[in-house]
């Protein structure tokens, strides 16, 4: 298993010799911001990001990689520059229209403990039944290109079984076990004679271990119901129950309903498990109405209950092809907040230029006796696309609150897409 990434790279490169296609995207970005080290002292930083997403292969065999090189050109930072490998895996699909597998550093899409891991995924697809299992090590900090050195304490293991056999119905059962290796440390302890001695402390691996059940039912464009239930095996209790539904039987009118019950998600053997914490539950109903296929008016109202407090939330909005306008107000002393936001973007000159603008203003306080705080943000920029494979993004950002006074930031990004068939 420790030779996993090297094997993936060598095997994947061997497919390139016979590959018929190479595609991906390269992006170069510059991001500037100011950071205050003390009340009257600040430094301006300019960070660069070079991102490459690359795919080699043909038909059902591909080598996929996604990496990023980041650095600081104004003020040197620790470990500068830093290369991050987000993906590097072999992707083989539809073997005998039945089997697929991935090998290497690959993404994990899971609502409990998703992210990236170094390992293998095996999938079996037979008609309306899908089965998938995966196992691998956790990725080290900063996505370094190396493997964990403790597979028994630092791994992720899981699987999914999904059924589509029943009309309009989807049923899925999932399991995940993610362990985190704890870093040992030395501390003062007393020996049998009550003399202080240095002792190495090694804790057991902390982990998440959950089973999940999902059921979805959709009837054309008339209505849809999605349910999800998470059970924490370690703590032997319900972790989350979530239901959402949408009804569109009436022309241009949509009715939505959302409910969730949630416990705080805490690692097993974590010190946080000894604290007195409570669960939350939330229910929200809403309607949206489409006017002349151009504008959609949205209204939602929610009730959120915490351990000792209850809060209500009202949301009103207007969306169109030109942008969105949203207002939100929270009531009750679980925290008060009034917010309004506006965003617009539209394409001009046959796709050559796409300007965009965003604004938000928020006023909030955390309790009855707390002072009100305000937060104002602006965003303005444009996308320039002179050719189909090249685009340039420019964006200016402004934020002002009691912590960041008149905070200005600039973002510049150059994108290049490529897709070539190779004659080998």
């Amino acid at each position: 298993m420790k030779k996993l990434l090297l094997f993936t790279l060598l095997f994947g490169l061997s497919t390139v010799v016979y590959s018929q296609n190479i595609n991906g995207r390269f992006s170069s970005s510059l991001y500037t911001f100011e950071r205050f080290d003390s009340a009257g002292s600040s430094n301006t930083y300019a960070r660069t990001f070079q991102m490459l997403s690359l795919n080699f292969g043909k038909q059902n065999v591909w080598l996929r990689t996604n990496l990023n090189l980041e650095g600081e050109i104004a003020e040197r930072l620790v470990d500068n520059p830093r290369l991050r490998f987000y993906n590097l895996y072999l992707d083989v699909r539809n073997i005998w229209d039945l089997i697929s597998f991935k090998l290497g550093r690959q993404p994990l899409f899971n609502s409990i403990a998703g992210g990236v891991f170094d390992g293998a995924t095996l999938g079996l697809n037979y008609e309306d039944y899908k089965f998938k299992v995966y196992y691998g090590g956790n990725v080290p900090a900063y996505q370094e290109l190396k493997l964990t050195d403790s597979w028994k304490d630092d791994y992720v293991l899981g699987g999914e079984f999904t059924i589509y056999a029943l009309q309009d119905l989807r049923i899925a059962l999932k399991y995940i076990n993610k362990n985190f290796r704890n870093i040992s440390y030395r501390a003062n302890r007393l020996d049998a004679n009550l003399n202080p001695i240095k002792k190495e402390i090694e804790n057991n691996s902390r982990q998440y271990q959950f089973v999940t059940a999902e059921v979805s039912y959709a009837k054309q464009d008339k209505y849809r119901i999605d349910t999800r239930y998470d059970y924490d095996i370690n703590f032997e209790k319900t972790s989350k129950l979530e239901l959402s539904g949408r009804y569109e039987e009436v022309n241009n009118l949509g009715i939505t309903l959302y409910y969730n019950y949630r416990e705080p998600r805490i690692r097993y053997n974590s010190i946080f498990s000894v604290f007195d914490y409570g669960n939350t539950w939330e229910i929200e109903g809403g309607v949206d109405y489409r006017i002349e296929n151009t504008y959609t008016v949205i209204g939602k109202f929610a009730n959120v209950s915490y351990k000792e407090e209850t809060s209500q939330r009202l949301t009103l909005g207007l969306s169109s092809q030109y942008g969105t306008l949203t207002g939100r107000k929270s009531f009750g002393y679980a925290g008060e907040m009034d917010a309004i936001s506006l965003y617009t973007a539209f394409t001009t000159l046959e796709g050559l230029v796409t300007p965009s603008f965003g604004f938000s203003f928020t006023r909030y306080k955390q309790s009855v006796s707390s002072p009100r705080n305000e937060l104002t943000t602006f965003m303005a920029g444009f996308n320039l696309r002179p050719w189909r494979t090249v685009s340039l993004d420019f964006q200016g950002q402004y934020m002002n609150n009691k912590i960041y006074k008149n905070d200005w930031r600039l973002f510049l990004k150059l994108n290049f897409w490529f897709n070539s068939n190779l004659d080998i």
Side-chain angles (χ1 to χ4, degrees), residues 204-272:
N204 294 328
S205 175
R206 301 174 182 174
Q207 59 180 305
Y208 290 130
Q209 189 172 197
F210 287 80
V211 290
T212 298
E214 298 177 350
V215 178
S216 299
Y217 183 80
K219 190 67 175 179
Q220 298 177 351
D221 295 330
K222 295 182 179 180
Y223 54 86
R224 179 181 180 89
I225 300 174
D226 297 293
T227 63
R228 171 183 150 198
Y229 175 77
D230 296 333
Y231 181 78
D232 191 324
I233 297 177
N234 292 328
F235 290 100
E236 298 182 344
K237 63 180 180 180
T238 297
S239 173
K240 185 176 183 179
L241 173 62
E242 185 177 46
L243 301 93
S244 62
R246 181 173 178 82
Y247 180 76
E248 296 182 341
E249 185 72 26
V250 181
N251 189 35
N252 294 328
L253 178 67
I255 301 174
T256 60
L257 181 66
Y258 175 79
Y259 169 85
N260 80 50
Y261 166 89
R262 179 171 53 200
E263 289 274 352
R265 186 171 298 156
I266 299 176
R267 294 183 185 180
Y268 191 62
N269 289 340
S270 168
I271 185 62
F272 294 105

Side-chain angles (χ1 to χ4, degrees), residues 181-223:
R181 180 186 58 181
N182 290 327
I183 300 175
S184 61
Y185 62 94
R186 298 184 66 82
N188 289 323
R189 294 293 186 267
L190 299 178
D191 62 10
N193 297 319
L194 301 181
N195 296 315
I197 59 172
K198 286 285 187 179
K199 185 176 182 179
E200 186 173 12
I201 308 299
E202 294 183 352
N203 292 327
N204 294 328
S205 175
R206 301 174 182 174
Q207 59 180 305
Y208 290 130
Q209 189 172 197
F210 287 80
V211 290
T212 298
E214 298 177 350
V215 178
S216 299
Y217 183 80
K219 190 67 175 179
Q220 298 177 351
D221 295 330
K222 295 182 179 180
Y223 54 86

Side-chain angles (χ1 to χ4, degrees), residues 16 26 46 73 127 151 185 209 215 246 260 264 289 387 416:
V16 175
F26 173 76
I73 60 177
E127 294 183 350
W151 291 92
Y185 62 94
Q209 189 172 197
V215 178
R246 181 173 178 82
N260 80 50
Y289 185 75
W387 301 284
F416 174 67

